[in-house]
Amino acid sequence: MQKEYWLLPIGALALLTFFVLLQIPIRRLYAGIIGKVIADDFKFGESKNVPQWVSIANRNYMNLLEIPLLFYLICLIQYLTGSSDPLNFQLAWVYVGLRTIHSLVHLTYNNVIHRLIIFATSNLILFGIWVNYFRKFLEIIFWG
């Protein structure tokens, strides 16, 4: 496996993040056009007047800037070290898929239980990627 392949799940998750970021002004502008908000509703963030379907995009965007940083980091580490671990590469794509599904649930019907299950599973996958990486790293250090 070429090490450059590690950049693909990074790019996919970044693309999802930009898609969600784009949802923020789209939803805000639409809410303004239909008279649900005014500009001052965003003067200090989002006021209580902002409908949930508008503010949820901002919350999802923040989610994509939190724990996924650890995903970007482990993928970059594997890229820089030339890792050819197929299990971690597959898990990276599973993580991206789960985060995509999480965003879709969050931005559409927003069932908290569904979101929680998907979010928790994605975090377990990410933890597994890190554990697998360090397991292999320690094997190389101690056992050559």
Side-chain angles (χ1 to χ4, degrees):
M1 179 174 93
Q2 294 178 323
K3 73 177 196 170
E4 288 79 16
Y5 288 166
W6 281 106
L7 301 176
L8 295 173
I10 291 172
L13 193 58
L15 187 63
L16 172 64
T17 303
F18 283 118
F19 171 78
V20 172
L21 175 62
L22 187 60
Q23 290 295 306
I24 297 169
I26 289 171
R27 289 172 183 233
R28 287 179 178 184
L29 286 171
Y30 181 69
I33 289 169
I34 64 172
K36 297 288 185 184
V37 295
I38 59 172
D40 278 352
D41 288 329
F42 301 100
K43 192 171 186 176
F44 301 107
E46 293 179 342
S47 74
K48 294 176 185 172
N49 299 332
V50 177
Q52 290 180 353
W53 60 269
V54 175
S55 63
I56 202 72
N58 192 50
R59 183 65 204 128
N60 189 257
Y61 175 66
M62 288 187 288
N63 282 171
L64 289 168
L65 297 177
E66 293 167 348
I67 194 101
L69 286 176
L70 294 174
F71 173 77
Y72 292 127
L73 179 60
I74 193 65
C75 287
L76 284 173
I77 288 170
Q78 293 186 108
Y79 166 73
L80 292 171
T81 60
S83 173
S84 61
D85 183 348
L87 175 61
N88 268 4
F89 188 69
Q90 291 168 353
L91 289 175
W93 280 110
V94 170
Y95 181 79
V96 170
L98 287 169
R99 290 311 306 234
T100 301
I101 294 167
H102 175 267
S103 289
L104 290 172
V105 169
H106 205 181
L107 295 171
T108 57
Y109 69 98
N110 197 22
N111 181 293
V112 175
I113 300 301
H114 294 168
R115 268 186 28 228
L116 173 63
I117 292 168
I118 297 162
F119 183 74
T121 304
S122 71
N123 289 335
L124 287 173
I125 294 292
L126 182 57
F127 180 71
I129 294 170
W130 276 95
V131 167
N132 189 43
Y133 175 78
F134 277 111
R135 180 187 59 80
K136 289 189 174 249
F137 180 73
L138 292 173
E139 283 176 8
I140 291 168
I141 290 176
F142 291 111
W143 295 281

